[in-house]
Amino acid sequence: MSDARNGRNLVYALGYILLALLGAAVVGYARDRTLGLVGGTLLLLVAAGGFALVGFDSWYVRHRPGLTTAEAPSGASATAFLRSPVPFVLSVVVPVLLALWALAGSLVADQIATRVVLLVIAIGFATPLVAAVRGRVAPGGLYLTPSGIEQRKEAVSWSVPWEHVSGVVPGEPLALTLSGPPPQPVVRTRWLWRREPSAPAGVLAVDSRYLAEPPVVVAELVARCLVDPGVRARMGTPEVVAEIRRS
């Protein structure tokens, strides 16, 4: 793990610990017991979710599962760098807990206005879950097929033929430089679950933070495909996976 990532995770972890301590203090010492319980529990839930993600981020960088073969969003066989489902699951579990928190708060609140506000907040937290229940979102990954590159992240997917990709730059996010028109993304929700990294014109950004291999390994295989049509033709075969894992 890079020093920058280590430092960032340490700062986040300390921040979430302080938030948890504040939440515990609010629960234990607030003059209004109901308000203290509701407000303190919220701080504790946010701290727990954030600390879980930071801990996973620190662990995952040393325990990536490696590439595999899988079916691309188009249905083609692909050499796949799947994305870890853990951040996606946390993105579902935390809103569920917050929705339950707000619903419980609405039941114990003394004021009618407070109950209504908390009920509205509960509905707001639950809204992103509709797309998850309907199967519109998925962790996805980056898929290399004989014909091109496909990407799926949550509600968004796209594909680009090899002929339209001119280069690749490893990083977070991974950058694919284009020599042809940008792909038209397929979006499965109206406005939620569309957390795609931004990129300048002529570049496709791929969220590589939780892919199954480090960005440099992904970039190396993409670069090999760009210069050797023979390597492209073998994408989606177990032989390629075995070859990469041996190297």
Side-chain angles (χ1 to χ4, degrees):
M1 189 191 305
S2 68
D3 291 339
R5 192 165 185 165
N6 271 325
R8 182 175 63 244
N9 283 340
L10 178 60
V11 171
Y12 287 160
L14 291 174
Y16 288 126
I17 290 173
L18 291 175
L19 191 64
L21 292 175
L22 177 60
V26 170
V27 170
Y29 299 103
R31 292 183 179 179
D32 186 319
R33 299 301 299 169
T34 300
L35 183 61
L37 182 63
V38 172
T41 303
L42 174 61
L43 296 177
L44 289 171
L45 285 174
V46 173
F51 197 77
L53 184 58
V54 169
F56 174 75
D57 185 272
S58 299
W59 175 87
Y60 186 74
V61 74
R62 298 185 181 90
H63 299 85
R64 296 181 191 262
L67 79 171
T68 187
T69 55
E71 185 178 285
S74 66
S77 295
T79 299
F81 300 93
L82 298 179
R83 189 170 283 109
S84 171
V86 172
F88 172 77
V89 170
L90 285 174
S91 294
V92 173
V93 171
V94 172
V96 167
L97 294 177
L98 291 175
L100 292 175
W101 161 82
L103 182 61
S106 71
L107 296 177
V108 302
D110 297 326
Q111 303 296 324
I112 296 297
T114 303
R115 291 182 180 181
V116 171
V117 170
L118 288 172
L119 186 59
V120 171
I121 292 174
I123 295 173
F125 281 131
T127 299
L129 307 178
V130 176
V133 171
R134 295 179 65 189
R136 298 291 183 89
V137 292
L142 189 70
Y143 306 83
L144 310 185
T145 73
S147 59
I149 304 175
E150 300 185 30
Q151 145 90 347
R152 172 75 190 271
K153 182 174 186 288
E154 297 176 344
V156 181
S157 63
W158 48 255
S159 63
V160 59
W162 288 112
E163 293 76 14
H164 291 176
V165 182
S166 59
V168 57
V169 180
E172 293 182 357
L174 184 96
L176 300 172
T177 54
L178 301 178
S179 57
Q184 294 297 317
V186 175
V187 182
R188 297 168 179 80
T189 61
R190 289 188 177 182
W191 54 280
L192 294 171
W193 297 102
R194 299 166 64 172
R195 298 177 288 190
E196 288 291 285
S198 59
V203 176
L204 279 176
V206 177
D207 185 350
S208 57
R209 189 175 186 85
Y210 297 114
L211 290 181
E213 293 278 10
V216 65
V217 175
V218 181
E220 285 175 357
L221 184 55
V222 171
R224 288 176 58 191
C225 289
L226 291 176
V227 300
D228 189 345
V231 175
R232 301 179 205 170
R234 298 170 56 213
M235 290 298 103
T237 64
E239 292 77 14
V240 171
V241 173
E243 178 184 313
I244 296 298
R245 288 187 172 181
R246 285 196 303 267
S247 61

